[in-house]
Amino acid sequence: MHESEKRQVSYLTLLIFYTVFLTVLTAETILLGWDLYAALRLLAALVVCWVVHIRGKVPDAVKKWLYIALMLLSFSFYGIHETSFFDLAPVMIAVIVLCFVGGFNSAIPWCAANYFLVLLWDLRFVRDGRIELSALNVSRILLHMGLVLLVCRLAGILSDRQKRERKEAQKLISELEETNRRTEDFLANVSHELRTPINAVTGLTTVLLKNEEDSWKRGNLLSMQKAGHRLFRQIEDILDYTEIDTGSVTVSEEDYMVS
């Protein structure tokens, strides 16, 4: 799969996840009596995202940040309600994992920042006494914060590892391409050095055969000529095979990164 195709799959996956999340969010908005107009505006933005994705005329970077921005906006709308206070971390962890799998590593710090901003905003529920600040709730909040930070850290470590592997893969690819180029140059030189004297031998035997009447000498010349042609064909076969073989040594970064 080419890099552009992988990006399109990642964008589509992100958009499908956002669609599912927003569908559930809209249903919860209706059931719990939240601000329906805000949910409808988010749905309108979702329709715009699908139109942008289907038309395919918007740059990939714009699409990526558009989808992520709307997802974080939807997360903020979801998180500012009291009933969602203890569900923020699992939802945000799912968003972070999706960003990492899709290759949107640069968006992960923004996801973490969005989570902590919403959590900070929700502390007003504790201030107003709508959420009890018991030891259990405090431990749950600290656990959720730790899990989000841990997932962000793991994503960062894995992202750095992927970058190092890409550099190593690119270095290996460059070395293979250089080896392939040198092999082709060597074969071209060998081809010239071998075929030139063979052509000379077969050409001279052809000239000698025209003027030679002795049957024994003609037999020897014909044997030399046949051997020269046979050797010439074998060299051509070897060169054809090596050209096919060296031409197949084209390793892509995706092939190297399969593991």
Side-chain angles (χ1 to χ4, degrees):
M1 184 180 293
H2 296 293
E3 190 65 26
S4 60
E5 294 177 350
K6 291 175 62 178
R7 286 198 302 268
Q8 294 304 318
V9 171
S10 299
Y11 297 145
L12 181 60
T13 303
L14 183 64
L15 190 53
I16 291 174
F17 178 87
Y18 176 52
T19 302
V20 174
F21 175 66
L22 194 54
T23 302
V24 175
L25 179 60
T26 304
E28 193 168 357
T29 299
I30 296 173
L31 292 174
L32 299 180
W34 295 346
D35 187 357
L36 183 59
Y37 291 104
L40 292 177
R41 286 192 288 269
L42 291 173
L43 286 174
L46 175 63
V47 173
V48 172
C49 289
W50 276 108
V51 171
V52 167
H53 184 81
I54 293 173
R55 291 174 65 88
K57 295 183 179 180
V58 178
D60 290 341
V62 176
K63 288 195 297 185
K64 178 183 75 172
W65 287 110
L66 175 64
Y67 299 165
I68 292 175
L70 290 175
M71 183 177 295
L72 295 181
L73 184 63
S74 301
F75 174 83
S76 299
F77 173 69
Y78 171 76
I80 61 175
H81 299 92
E82 179 184 349
T83 54
S84 306
F85 183 76
F86 291 106
D87 297 329
L88 293 177
V91 176
M92 181 50 69
I93 288 174
V95 174
I96 293 174
V97 171
L98 179 67
C99 290
F100 173 75
V101 173
F104 310 126
N105 298 324
S106 57
I108 293 178
W110 293 98
C111 294
N114 182 253
Y115 166 77
F116 284 104
L117 286 175
V118 174
L119 183 63
L120 183 63
W121 172 266
D122 285 351
L123 290 179
R124 76 185 193 278
F125 299 136
V126 177
R127 181 197 61 189
D128 298 339
R130 297 160 65 180
I131 294 179
E132 182 183 359
L133 197 61
S134 62
L136 176 61
N137 286 341
V138 171
S139 64
R140 291 172 66 185
I141 294 172
L142 294 177
L143 176 62
H144 290 177
M145 294 172 61
L147 287 175
V148 172
L149 291 175
L150 177 62
V151 171
C152 290
R153 179 56 181 164
L154 289 176
I157 293 174
L158 293 176
S159 176
D160 293 339
R161 179 182 176 184
Q162 287 181 345
K163 290 179 181 178
R164 290 195 301 269
E165 289 179 347
R166 288 194 186 97
K167 290 181 180 179
E168 293 175 359
Q170 189 59 45
K171 181 180 178 180
L172 177 61
I173 292 170
S174 300
E175 292 175 354
L176 289 174
E177 290 176 347
E178 178 64 19
T179 302
N180 191 26
R181 185 189 63 80
R182 292 181 179 179
T183 302
E184 291 177 351
D185 293 342
F186 172 75
L187 291 174
N189 293 332
V190 168
S191 172
H192 175 73
E193 295 298 330
L194 290 178
R195 283 186 286 192
T196 299
I198 292 174
N199 286 332
V201 171
T202 54
L204 288 174
T205 54
T206 301
V207 172
L208 292 174
L209 282 171
K210 291 181 179 179
N211 301 320
E212 185 58 57
E213 297 181 356
D214 186 273
S215 59
W216 183 79
K217 292 182 180 180
R218 287 184 62 85
N220 291 333
L221 290 173
L222 285 172
S223 298
M224 292 175 58
Q225 189 181 56
K226 291 178 181 179
H229 287 308
R230 185 166 58 252
L231 180 58
F232 186 86
R233 288 193 299 269
Q234 289 176 348
I235 293 173
E236 290 291 329
D237 292 340
I238 293 173
L239 291 175
D240 290 340
Y241 173 78
T242 52
E243 287 175 2
I244 294 173
D245 186 57
T246 55
S248 64
V249 183
T250 55
V251 181
S252 65
E253 184 175 332
E254 291 79 3
D255 296 331
Y256 180 80
M257 297 288 291
V258 167
S259 59

